[in-house]
Amino acid sequence: MTATVSASISPAQVSHRVVPIDLPLATGTRSYDIVIGDKLLAETGKLIAGRLGQRRCLIITDSNVAPLYQKRLEAVLASAGHAVLPALVVAGGEGSKDFASLQKLLDQILASGVDRKTLILALGGGVVGDLAGVAASLAMRGLDFVQIPTTLLAQVDSSVGGKTGINTAAGKNTVGAFYQPRLVVGDVSLLDSLPHRELVAGYAEVVKYGLIKDAPFFGWCRTNGARLLNGDREAQIYAVGVSCEHKAKIVASDERETGERALLNLGHTFGHALETVTGYGQLLMHGEAVAIGTVMAFKLSARLGFCPHAEVYDVHDHLAEVGLPTAPPKFAYNIDQLITLMTQDKKAEGGKLTLILARGIGQAFVSRDVSAKEVRALWEDTLSA
Amino acid sequence: MTATVSASISPAQVSHRVVPIDLPLATGTRSYDIVIGDKLLAETGKLIAGRLGQRRCLIITDSNVAPLYQKRLEAVLASAGHAVLPALVVAGGEGSKDFASLQKLLDQILASGVDRKTLILALGGGVVGDLAGVAASLAMRGLDFVQIPTTLLAQVDSSVGGKTGINTAAGKNTVGAFYQPRLVVGDVSLLDSLPHRELVAGYAEVVKYGLIKDAPFFGWCRTNGARLLNGDREAQIYAVGVSCEHKAKIVASDERETGERALLNLGHTFGHALETVTGYGQLLMHGEAVAIGTVMAFKLSARLGFCPHAEVYDVHDHLAEVGLPTAPPKFAYNIDQLITLMTQDKKAEGGKLTLILARGIGQAFVSRDVSAKEVRALWEDTLSA
């Protein structure tokens, strides 16, 4: 299986696609590829050797993923001529994104036999990618790293774009770095080991790209979303590829989120407020919160006269159809608290909030003057429905 | 007093100089200025406003520097229209460059009322600059920061070039980032509060630039070094300016130290070994260790036939003349340990060490095949002398 460069977005028969990401600005040292395909884990040793040369490799993974893929990855790396250091395994779950885990991981990395040329491989979902990314950025003032995301959410979102982070008392991802990987390997066959609920939750971030800037892709999702979620490889490769292409373009134009990158927060300001009050637990997964928040953002856009009501229904119906929640789960919400969280999330000024709204499907924009009153009314209607 | 851009190196009457540093590569977002002059602290509010706009400012300093300059800096910032958050004061000394201090500082920064536009001001010597630099790079994925170095060592070396770091069990500066400041304010009048021994130690890094690549500047040092150390402002501004220009050029050509930047380690591989065994304490300051290491590097260069012996004496005599040590202090050294530390410092391969040697004054080069045997012989002679 050889890599082919495909920059165009077409639902052709692709078993494998490469999305080049070019960052001329902030971390602008280099471009890197996001390679997407079926059974790519088996190719990872060669993909790395071809792009980055033979390296000493240090795998960082978590206790959920290690039993599934660690030994396979080690074997694949060794057979491509890389030296493989003993893998480091962190505890699964968001709890590992804290300062104590970061310090422990850095001490382990530095004691593991790394040198300045060693490659860190983050094998796992968003937690592993975020934590290993911060650690890679700091160990010896920065080691090269490769993302091998094992969840749909990580494949289409968190593994691309260089945001790394841990959580502190001040909030989620308040400590971290913009630190780009050297390569992202998106093997859709790894999604088979994902609980169905988590796969569906990740799909909310796929739909998001269509809603932000690609109405035809939203159309494709309506036709093919169920197929993707049922494990169709072609649909998965296509959707992950399109998602990564959009994210790569947005990140390349605005790595540090001073402008366009904010569009990626569609649905997230509402969603983060819900995640925070519900405790980031099993009641509401991140992608589910994004789905709910996206519906709310479209509703608000329609109420404010930006977006036709019919398109709100289109968004709502597709998310509901694949099994995503479109309204908050039952919980003792406090609307004041939700609004306070939203204003902290993106800085309010004089009773106005900054939110991502839409003029229609594929036409998201940043609005900096949404009145808190309108947002309150929306929460009231949403929670009483 | 207005800033003037001066890129040429001439010992003219300058009361103020600006060294532009241009980083097109790794962190290549931006260029920044190193402004050097007399009584610049009083201008700092305006220097920041002119380059970076009016900002919310958070000063990070240490318990030694705070009583001397914190209130003056706060007043100067406020009078230029900046909002000044309550300063954060870390304990003075190398002990603050650890993980616990970093975590505490980050928690304090995040709780202090910063937003993404807040400017971190590192007011102090190398410890404050290194620690505040790591913290600035990580808080909210990177806040802009300004270096206001208060030691000669920091003014000519550690504040320029974006290396930040803390120490771990694995060694000094093993955790950190390449993170460039937005501005460096080098006020030579702050050097008046420095203990004379520390001023002299910092001067070793000034001489280093002459020895690496600027023989005429070494000549200037021989003539003017004593004047500089006696507090002559013109000499201080000139020497700090030339040093920063050299460092800026080297860093711009090789930010991540894959090539030329290694030349800045002249004297440092020997010096670090001495610092480590003597415990980084009062017995041997960093600049003193560099002075001893520089003499050793020149001696070795002469023994290996690269450099005329007469130039070794020139180096030795100038360092000795200003009061720097040129041989290690009395201590129960173990040569095996010293050599082991040197090989860890810069990776040995097959009994060969990488060291910075010189073909003469102003002609340093990286040698990757110095035999451990030669280095051992040099240590034996040096320690038995």
Side-chain angles (χ1 to χ4, degrees), chain A residues 19-78:
Chain A
V19 179
I21 177 164
D22 191 25
L23 293 170
L25 292 175
T27 59
T29 32
R30 56 217 179 183
S31 304
Y32 61 93
D33 285 336
I34 305 156
V35 185
I36 299 143
D38 187 21
K39 301 191 175 64
L40 272 189
L41 197 67
E43 311 286 324
T44 299
K46 285 181 221 158
L47 290 172
I48 290 171
R51 285 167 174 78
L52 307 171
Q54 285 187 335
R55 295 287 192 106
R56 195 178 299 198
C57 292
L58 175 60
I59 299 168
I60 298 175
T61 187
D62 72 19
S63 51
N64 299 324
V65 174
L68 300 172
Y69 302 121
Q70 180 193 322
K71 289 212 183 311
R72 270 166 61 187
L73 180 56
E74 286 172 350
V76 156
L77 292 169

Side-chain angles (χ1 to χ4, degrees), chain A residues 168-346:
Chain A
T168 72
K172 278 176 68 90
N173 298 316
T174 44
V175 162
F178 286 95
Y179 192 70
Q180 301 292 340
R182 298 296 306 265
L183 171 68
V184 181
V185 178
D187 179 353
V188 296
S189 73
L190 305 186
L191 302 178
D192 288 352
S193 60
L194 208 59
H196 192 71
R197 181 179 171 192
E198 212 172 316
L199 184 69
V200 172
Y203 178 73
E205 299 276 11
V206 173
V207 175
K208 186 184 77 176
Y209 294 104
L211 299 179
I212 290 173
K213 57 184 296 192
D214 187 349
F217 181 57
F218 180 68
W220 181 93
C221 287
R222 293 173 81 178
T223 308
N224 299 281
R227 199 156 65 87
L228 182 164
L229 295 169
N230 284 327
D232 183 283
R233 291 281 181 259
E234 192 205 337
Q236 289 175 338
I237 292 170
Y238 178 69
V240 174
V242 172
S243 298
C244 288
E245 283 179 357
H246 281 308
K247 180 139 187 190
K249 275 181 209 156
I250 290 173
V251 170
S253 73
D254 179 27
E255 187 193 15
R256 305 254 163 173
E257 195 171 326
T258 54
E260 192 191 6
R261 189 164 183 166
L263 295 179
L264 296 173
N265 290 323
L266 175 66
H268 281 63
T269 307
F270 291 104
H272 280 155
L274 289 169
E275 284 184 276
T276 303
V277 300
T278 57
Y280 292 98
Q282 282 300 304
L283 183 61
L284 191 63
M285 301 185 70
H286 175 70
E288 295 169 345
V290 168
I292 298 162
T294 299
V295 172
M296 292 183 73
F298 268 83
K299 272 191 190 159
L300 187 58
S301 302
R303 284 171 174 228
L304 297 173
F306 291 118
C307 169
H309 284 277
E311 301 199 357
V312 181
Y313 291 112
D314 289 343
V315 173
H316 173 278
D317 291 353
H318 178 56
L319 296 174
E321 177 183 62
V322 298
L324 280 161
T326 54
K330 286 202 187 311
F331 191 82
Y333 296 103
N334 173 322
I335 291 180
D336 288 334
Q337 187 194 4
L338 288 166
I339 292 176
T340 301
L341 287 165
M342 290 179 70
T343 56
Q344 285 173 352
D345 195 50
K346 292 282 164 261

Side-chain angles (χ1 to χ4, degrees), chain B residues 206-218:
Chain B
V206 173
V207 176
K208 186 185 76 175
Y209 293 104
L211 299 179
I212 289 173
K213 58 185 295 191
D214 187 349
F217 181 57
F218 179 68

